[in-house]
Amino acid sequence: MKNCVKELRARFHYSQSDLAVRVGVTRQTIAAIEKGDYTPSLLLGLLICETFELPMEKVFWLKKKEENE
């Protein structure tokens, strides 16, 4: 799964800690999501999208098959 959490966070002028507090997780969780090391739960993904006031598909998307190779 790919995401643009880091870019959105920068656009909204949030630190990783700011976003973490807003969605109820640790800063390390936000860092792992941004690096692609952690796939958030549906609830966490929705909370992140709600924070940025964007639909899920604008924040998270599946890698295309070519990207996996």
Side-chain angles (χ1 to χ4, degrees):
M1 182 185 305
K2 305 282 280 180
N3 71 76
C4 59
V5 173
K6 185 175 184 175
E7 293 83 358
L8 289 167
R9 193 172 51 72
R11 186 184 316 161
F12 281 72
H13 306 288
Y14 294 156
S15 67
Q16 288 179 338
S17 295
D18 293 335
L19 181 57
V21 167
R22 288 176 178 271
V23 299
V25 297
T26 65
R27 183 202 60 76
Q28 291 85 350
T29 299
I30 299 300
I33 291 169
E34 290 179 356
K35 290 185 348 185
D37 293 341
Y38 177 73
T39 301
S41 67
L42 178 58
L43 177 59
L44 178 53
L46 287 170
L47 288 170
I48 292 170
C49 292
E50 184 177 79
T51 299
F52 296 129
E53 298 180 354
L54 289 169
M56 186 73 75
E57 63 272 13
K58 297 288 185 181
V59 182
F60 299 97
W61 60 93
L62 294 175
K63 292 180 186 176
K64 291 194 168 63
K65 192 169 188 173
E66 310 79 67
E67 294 180 55
N68 292 330
E69 298 172 354

